[in-house]
Amino acid sequence: LTSTMSAPEPDNQTHGPIIPDLSGAVPTSAEARAKRHIAVLEEELQTMRQERGTKQRKTTYYVAQGRAVHRMVVLYTGLEDLVAENDRRYEDGLVNGMVEDTTPEQDRLQRGYLALAQSLPWLHSKLAELDIDDSEDMLKKIKRGADAARGDDTSTLKDLIATWVNQDFRPSPLLRSDDKQLHGFVHNICGKLLCPAEWDWSNDRVKAGICERTSDYIVSENSWPLFVYENYTFNSSDLEKGLFMSKILVQAFKAIFTSPSSAREADGDGDGADILENNRCARRSLNDQVKVHFALSSVSSWRTVDGDFDYEGFWNNIVDFFENVPGPVTQHRVAKLLEWWTRKIFGKSHCQDLTPEVVSRMSVTALAEQRKALEDAAFDSE
């Protein structure tokens, strides 16, 4: 009878020695093994969830940070090219002690990398920490955010610029935001604003030559379009006068960097706080000129070249105007233009004028003195 009864599970035994089986393993119950296996799986699942959550948070962060790239750093150049140029310069400096004989394109890339390091201060050290695969993945996510922001900006400006043109010029027919085929040189006002500043759009010969794309009237990135000039007027004896000071540029800048509603006020100065004297925001963020040109044109989708007009070349010309100056006189003029933009967008702060003497005459200080005088009077009366 005893031999026919099943033995109790090993983990339930409380008496007698534990004897390994032929495998050398101490016997355990199926239930206990299943519980331990489930615990291990649950721990692995929890780890996977945490890693997925961490990865998702990193992706969200990189994409969000990337939205600044096409607005503040570069509009077309790949981030990998900026990183590669900085590495090349550093390596040349280690070998030769200095970097010599750089090309204009290489200088643009390096200035772009410096702007990138200013806009995303954490990126330089992060590139040093990550391996090559993680670095490439991070840059791809940053680019995703940059492209998304550019798409949002062009979509926003497409609608707003049609509204601004209709309000300021009252064209007939009105400019429609939902039909880009009616923009560009087929529309009289868009044609005027896109026309190279050195030509007179009101001249029928000029207008016909541009529309028919004759060799005498080639519209390219080598001419400043009229819309970048203040009051949309051009002084052939002083090409810099009014350059990058037009109302539509101020409106576009405000629509992208502050809010679309703030773009309604573009004639006066801004009402915000002053910012740093060397305003990198205004310096490189004037790439909205490229987006304004795109919105005024008949191009239906974002591209680098439209006919004879190279948008990337146009962008480079704008950046070079601000950053590749021939000397101190030009640098001073650029600084004055940036001051104008700072005041136009952010207003002017008078904090430096609030000296202790001025503050002492203001109501907060006066009230504090009155309260102290009351306390002193009460103490003396006692």
Side-chain angles (χ1 to χ4, degrees):
L1 178 64
T2 303
S3 61
T4 60
M5 296 177 62
S6 60
E9 288 286 345
D11 277 3
N12 292 332
Q13 294 176 349
T14 57
H15 302 288
I18 300 177
I19 303 174
D21 62 11
L22 293 178
S23 68
V26 178
T28 58
S29 71
E31 181 181 358
R33 292 195 303 274
K35 288 180 179 179
R36 287 191 284 270
H37 187 57
I38 290 173
V40 171
L41 292 176
E42 288 178 342
E43 184 176 352
E44 291 178 354
L45 180 61
Q46 181 63 23
T47 301
M48 291 173 62
R49 286 174 176 169
Q50 290 175 349
E51 291 176 350
R52 185 173 61 183
T54 301
K55 185 176 180 180
Q56 182 59 45
R57 286 192 295 273
K58 286 182 179 179
T59 298
T60 302
Y61 178 77
Y62 292 150
V63 171
Q65 291 284 298
R67 293 183 68 84
V69 170
H70 287 329
R71 293 170 173 171
M72 304 280 291
V73 183
V74 289
L75 193 57
Y76 291 95
T77 309
L79 298 182
E80 296 84 357
D81 295 333
L82 303 183
V83 175
E85 175 59 21
N86 187 71
D87 289 344
R88 185 193 69 80
R89 290 197 176 214
Y90 184 72
E91 290 170 359
D92 286 353
L94 289 177
V95 174
N96 303 320
M98 61 183 301
V99 180
E100 298 178 342
D101 300 327
T102 59
T103 66
E105 178 59 27
Q106 289 172 331
D107 291 339
R108 284 194 202 100
L109 289 172
Q110 185 60 21
R111 292 196 300 266
Y113 185 83
L114 296 177
L116 177 64
Q118 287 182 317
S119 299
L120 306 180
W122 52 268
L123 182 63
H124 183 78
S125 59
K126 200 70 176 176
L127 287 169
E129 296 172 5
L130 300 177
D131 60 34
I132 186 64
D133 290 336
D134 289 340
S135 293
E136 290 178 354
D137 183 62
M138 177 182 67
L139 293 177
K140 286 179 181 178
K141 290 168 181 172
I142 292 174
K143 183 179 183 299
R144 188 197 310 172
D147 291 344
R150 184 174 60 193
D152 292 342
D153 293 343
T154 54
S155 177
T156 297
L157 289 180
K158 183 180 70 172
D159 294 332
L160 289 176
I161 283 179
T163 300
W164 300 334
V165 167
N166 291 334
Q167 289 175 344
D168 291 347
F169 296 95
R170 305 292 180 183
S172 180
L174 294 175
L175 187 64
R176 294 174 52 184
S177 63
D178 60 346
D179 191 350
K180 289 277 282 179
Q181 297 301 316
L182 298 179
H183 290 211
F185 292 108
V186 300
H187 190 280
N188 187 51
I189 299 301
C190 289
K192 173 185 176 180
L193 297 176
L194 292 171
C195 180
E198 59 265 33
W199 299 334
D200 183 3
W201 176 254
S202 63
N203 185 314
D204 291 338
R205 181 179 178 183
V206 171
K207 189 179 298 185
I210 291 176
C211 293
E212 295 171 9
R213 299 185 63 181
T214 66
S215 59
D216 291 331
Y217 295 98
I218 300 174
V219 179
S220 75
E221 72 281 0
N222 299 299
S223 297
W224 296 119
L226 191 64
F227 76 81
V228 303
Y229 280 94
E230 186 176 22
N231 298 323
Y232 314 117
T233 57
F234 173 74
N235 186 344
S236 59
S237 61
D238 186 359
L239 305 181
E240 197 171 342
K241 183 178 180 180
L243 184 64
F244 305 136
M245 298 175 68
S246 69
K247 179 180 178 180
I248 201 168
L249 286 184
V250 174
Q251 288 175 306
F253 189 104
K254 285 188 170 186
I256 292 174
F257 287 94
T258 54
S259 70
S261 60
S262 69
R264 298 172 190 152
E265 301 295 331
D267 293 325
D269 290 342
D271 57 1
D274 199 3
I275 56 177
L276 297 176
E277 180 180 354
N278 185 15
N279 187 355
R280 60 183 168 86
C281 181
R283 183 183 295 270
R284 277 196 167 247
S285 299
L286 286 174
N287 72 65
D288 61 354
Q289 298 174 56
V290 179
K291 298 170 186 174
V292 170
H293 193 288
F294 173 79
L296 289 169
S297 75
S298 58
V299 179
S300 58
S301 60
W302 184 264
R303 63 182 66 172
T304 304
V305 178
D306 174 22
D308 298 308
F309 194 92
D310 187 325
Y311 279 101
E312 186 173 5
F314 185 46
W315 153 258
N316 287 334
N317 290 340
I318 296 167
V319 173
D320 287 349
F321 173 87
F322 286 96
E323 299 185 349
N324 188 23
V325 294
V329 174
T330 310
Q331 182 64 60
H332 177 72
R333 292 168 70 93
V334 167
K336 297 298 291 183
L337 176 58
L338 291 174
E339 288 177 9
W340 181 88
W341 269 94
T342 299
R343 185 177 68 253
K344 203 72 176 173
I345 303 300
F346 301 98
K348 183 171 178 58
S349 172
H350 294 281
C351 291
Q352 69 274 13
D353 299 323
L354 291 174
T355 63
E357 181 182 357
V358 173
V359 172
S360 68
R361 298 194 298 268
M362 294 182 170
S363 58
V364 171
T365 304
L367 175 58
E369 292 176 351
Q370 288 178 5
R371 296 175 76 187
K372 185 177 183 301
L374 289 173
E375 291 294 332
D376 291 342
F379 178 79
D380 293 340
S381 65
E382 294 176 356

